[in-house]
Amino acid sequence: MSFELLMRDCAAHEDQRQRYAEALEAEEVRLTRETLEQAKAGQYDRLREAFDFRDHDAIVFRALVSCADKGAPEAKEALDTLARWYGEWHAEVDE
C-alpha cells in the first residue's frame, strides 16, 4: 500500500514538473515575441538588457559589421556613428 502511495505521489510530482516546464516555455515564447514587437516599435530596453549576457554584444556587432559590408545603409550609418564617436572621444594630441 505505501509503495502505491509513493508511486502516485511521484507521478503527481512529475506531472507538476511537466506542467511547470510547459508554462515556462510558453512564457519564454510570449516574452520573446513581445520583445521583438517592442524593438520594431523602437523600444530597445529589453534588447539592451541582453547585451550584458554572454557574448551577445559581440554577436550584435558582428551582424552590424556584416550588414554594413553588404551595403545596408542603416548599418553603415550606425557603424560610422559608433566609430566617429570613438574617434572624437579618444582623440588626444600634444599641444
Side-chain angles (χ1 to χ4, degrees):
M1 177 77 169
S2 66
F3 177 72
E4 292 170 348
L5 291 175
L6 184 60
M7 291 299 292
R8 187 186 68 204
D9 289 348
C10 183
H13 179 71
E14 285 302 313
D15 288 345
Q16 181 183 13
R17 287 182 58 195
Q18 181 65 31
R19 285 191 303 275
Y20 172 80
E22 290 170 357
L24 184 60
E25 183 177 350
E27 180 65 1
E28 289 172 359
V29 168
R30 184 191 72 76
L31 285 171
T32 298
R33 288 181 181 149
E34 190 176 87
T35 300
L36 290 172
E37 289 172 6
Q38 288 181 1
K40 290 176 184 178
Q43 300 168 353
Y44 307 115
D45 291 342
R46 290 182 180 180
L47 294 180
R48 279 191 199 105
E49 190 176 323
F51 266 47
D52 295 334
F53 188 71
R54 293 187 184 155
D55 65 341
H56 292 168
D57 56 343
I59 292 169
V60 170
F61 286 115
R62 280 194 305 269
L64 178 64
V65 171
S66 176
C67 289
D69 286 346
K70 291 178 182 174
E74 295 90 354
K76 283 182 172 184
E77 183 179 342
L79 197 58
D80 288 347
T81 298
L82 293 172
R84 187 172 44 256
W85 174 88
Y86 184 87
E88 291 171 0
W89 190 257
H90 293 280
E92 293 181 13
V93 293
D94 293 332
E95 289 186 38

